[in-house]
Each structure stands twice: as C-alpha cells, then as structure tokens.
Amino acid sequence: MADGRHRAAQPANTYDATTLTTEFEQLMRNKRFNRLQEQSRSRPGSQSPVSSMSSPMPPPPSRAPPPPPSFGASPTHPSPQPSTPSPSLRGLPIMPSPPQDPASLKFYNLLKGLSVTPTKYENPGLLDEALCLIPLDRLYSEAEEESQIMQAQAASIGGKPEWGYQDCVIRALLRWFKRSFFQFVNNPPCSNCHMPTIAQGMTPPTPDETARGASRVELYRCAEASCGAYERFPRYSDVWQLLQSRRGRVGEWANCFSMFCRAVGARVRWVWNSEDHVWTEVYSEHQRRWVHVDACEEAWDQPRLYTEGWRRKLSYCIAFSIDGATDVTRRYVRSFGKHGTPRTRAPEEVVLWSIHEIRRKRRENMSKTDQRRLIKEDEREEKELRGYMASALAAEINGLLPRSMVGGRADEQKHPGGRQEVAREWAGAQQRGPGNSGPDRSGGR
C-alpha cells in the first residue's frame, strides 16, 4: 500500500527509468518461467518445474505489471497461444546444427549454389574486358571532385568526410552504369518493326543460348498484326554475355554491376533475397562497413528502401562474397513485426550452420592473417547488425510512450534516401508490373 501511495503521489507524466527497468526484467523472468512450465506440461510424464522444487517459488513482486488481457477468452475456452517465434527473432543465442530433414538440406544446397556467383567475378580475362568498357578517366575525375567537396565540407565543421575516395569512385560508377551503360527490359521490342511485344510464356533455350549461359528463354510476339514476328529474350547469367547484351532485369543488373565494382578494385558482395530481388554490397574502407548499392534503382546506402520505401516484407537476405556468406537480413529488415515474413525454409540453427559452412570452405586455404582479419570484420558487422535491432526496439518502446516525452514518433523519422525519392523509385517499379522488378526465379538470376 505504501508503494502504491508513493506512486500515486508522483506526477502523471513522470517515469522512473530504474523502476521501469526492474519491472521489465521481472516481466521477462516471469514470461520465461511460464514458457518452461507450458513446455513441461506438454511433455507426457514430465514433472512441472514448480512441483520438482523442494521449496515453492516465491511470488513475483507486486510492482510487476500483469500480463496483457486475452480478449474473448474464458476460463473454459482460453484463447489459443501464439506460435513461438524463431530464436533469432527473440534475440536468444542459437547453436549451429547441420540439416536433418529434406527441406533444410534443400535450403542449404540452394545457399551453397548461390555462393558460387561472386567467384565468377575473379576471372582475370573478364575483369580486363570490363575495364575496357568503363570510362575510367571520367569516373576518376568525378570521384576526385566529389571527394574534394566532401573533404572541404568536413573541414569547415572540423569533422571527417562522410565517404572516402574509393567510395566516390563506386558512386560515379553507379551513376554511369544506370544512366549510360545498362538497359532495363520488360517486353523487348520487335526486332523487325520495333513495335511492342506481348509475352507468350517460356521456350527452351537453343544450344547457342545454353552455351552463353541462358538458364531460360522468354518468348514474345509482336503486337502488330501485320508483323506477328516472335522475339526471344534469353535470361543470361554469364557476366561476359551481359557485357555484350547490356540489358536485362534486376538479376542481370546486379550481376553485371557487381562485377564492374570488382573490376575497379572494390570488395563486393552479391546479395540474394528470397522474395525475388538481388542487389550489391560494397565494402567501404573509409567507414569500415558494408554499404548497400542497388544499381537498378541507383540507390546508395539505402538499406531500408525495400521495406520502408517499397512496403515489401522480407524474410531472408543473404550476402555472398569470395570470403563466404553472411545473413544480413537485420540490415534490411529493422522491424520484423512490421516488415518481416516468417523464416520457414529451415530452422535458424540450420541457417547459421549453412553460413558457417560456406565461410569455412571459402576461407580454409587463406593465410592465418587473412582469416583473423575476416573474423574481426565479422565481429564488427555482427555488432552493427545487433545495433540495428536495439535501435528498432528502442523506437518501438518510444512509440508506446506519450508523444510529449519522446518528441515525436520514431516511425516519423526520415530514413536514408528520403520519402520522396523512395516513393518515386517505388512508382517506377510498380509500372514495370509484378514479377518484373526482380530476377528470374530459376536460380540463374
């Protein structure tokens, strides 16, 4: 009672951080204990943790908040319990475990096959061919000018430039690739009369198309009745062929641009998303982190473009490089409740094991020095990804507090790229039609 009178005497808008922290910790202990009780009761012949203890469990403090009410439930008809989220989403540590069932093995084999993609960028002849196509003098000049402007801006406020010279080179490459080099294709125009075409479905690739890396071929018919010619659109996965055709959809854009980044000396990742999209990550030595780059959208360091801009929900985002693989979903999905979809392809233990296995195979022949360097880099990135989750949780907590205490809702803050720019890009993606903004689903991407 004394405690209740003391709290009632406090002003209505005053919150004791220490009290809130204590109550939250006690609530989580009670929740964990109740979950263990439910699991124990669900096992036949098992004994409840309470009955197995020699002394009864002390009651929780009276200050602990009660559990939320279950609307529509009754003592005889309790409401169904929600499914338990995966360990990675609860923030609990998980242990790697090899696949034991067909679905898990299939997912591991998929990741193992996708991990081969960035190794193709290491072909010396391919890199030389790419360098011959890049206007290096122009890009280096633009990068030097942008770098000097950033240095001058930073010096005026006594700070550090946002991006380094190598980052500016990739930014210049991104603009050139998007605006001058590669072409986005929905329905290819008729090669006879240059009129629009109508999709007719899929057709088997010819031997020549197969030799050039076409995993599948789309067939189109000319919309002009007097013409009626058919147009073939091979979906090439071979980067050398993409240098010749210079056209495609998102899969071809990401594949070719990633190789160009490698050609100018950048460390590159090819990022696969299970919702049928792919993009690139480039390592910034200046900021010592991986930077999101989407060549098809000319987007630089806008990881929340897909969820908060396009309003898409994502489940798996896996980055592949010559150094291994990394689950970077947390970089692109800041709030799993709002923008995430269930990760049901394999248990989280299997996903973690698959990532570690791909890393092990890619790094086993490296020197000890390089291995230690990559381990430190992995640890630094893991800290970064955890920071995103902590920031998202803090934003959700701020959203529960009165508006006057936090100075505005967290979801009203501006995310990288700006609302207007993201909306404009999303409108362009919508015009392409469903299924055309992402790579083909055949695995060739």
Side-chain angles (χ1 to χ4, degrees), residues 82-95:
S83 58
T84 303
S86 61
S88 66
L89 305 188
R90 289 201 307 263
L92 300 178
I94 58 177
M95 296 300 295

Side-chain angles (χ1 to χ4, degrees), residues 285-304:
E285 296 290 349
H286 184 76
Q287 294 201 8
R288 301 182 71 193
R289 67 179 178 90
W290 289 95
V291 178
H292 157 260
V293 189
D294 193 321
C296 196
E297 305 296 337
E298 200 179 326
W300 170 270
D301 197 24
Q302 298 181 32
R304 289 179 282 179

Side-chain angles (χ1 to χ4, degrees), residues 290-432:
W290 289 95
V291 178
H292 157 260
V293 189
D294 193 321
C296 196
E297 305 296 337
E298 200 179 326
W300 170 270
D301 197 24
Q302 298 181 32
R304 289 179 282 179
L305 169 68
Y306 313 114
T307 55
E308 299 179 29
W310 294 4
R311 305 301 179 188
R312 290 188 177 181
K313 294 192 174 185
L314 311 178
S315 54
Y316 298 94
C317 300
I318 312 296
F320 300 98
S321 70
I322 58 173
D323 300 324
T326 304
D327 186 349
V328 293
T329 309
R330 289 170 290 176
R331 177 173 293 126
Y332 300 94
V333 184
R334 302 297 173 87
S335 173
F336 281 94
K338 292 181 179 179
H339 306 123
T341 57
R343 294 162 58 104
T344 57
R345 294 203 178 189
E348 293 300 323
E349 295 82 358
V350 174
V351 177
L352 184 60
W353 181 89
S354 303
I355 296 294
H356 288 178
E357 183 67 9
I358 294 173
R359 283 183 184 175
R360 184 189 64 81
K361 291 183 178 180
R362 288 282 179 267
R363 302 177 183 182
E364 58 184 358
N365 295 325
M366 293 183 179
S367 65
K368 297 298 182 181
T369 302
D370 288 339
Q371 290 182 9
R372 286 192 295 268
R373 174 181 58 83
L374 292 173
I375 290 175
K376 290 183 179 179
E377 186 179 292
D378 295 337
E379 294 173 349
R380 190 164 57 246
E381 183 174 26
E382 178 62 24
K383 183 179 180 180
E384 173 195 347
L385 298 178
R386 288 180 179 176
Y388 292 143
M389 293 294 96
S391 299
L393 179 59
E396 292 181 5
I397 294 176
N398 286 340
L400 299 176
L401 297 177
R403 191 184 188 92
S404 59
M405 295 186 59
V406 296
R409 292 288 298 270
D411 55 6
E412 293 175 351
Q413 304 304 317
K414 188 177 182 181
H415 62 79
R419 296 284 182 182
Q420 294 181 354
E421 180 178 352
V422 169
R424 184 169 61 252
E425 296 289 0
W426 171 236
Q430 289 287 72
Q431 291 176 0
R432 299 174 192 140

Side-chain angles (χ1 to χ4, degrees), residues 145-170:
E145 180 180 356
E146 184 179 28
S147 177
Q148 290 180 358
I149 292 176
M150 289 186 178
Q151 291 177 11
Q153 291 174 341
S156 65
I157 59 175
K160 176 183 177 182
E162 182 178 8
W163 303 106
Y165 173 74
Q166 180 65 16
D167 302 325
C168 294
V169 171
I170 301 300

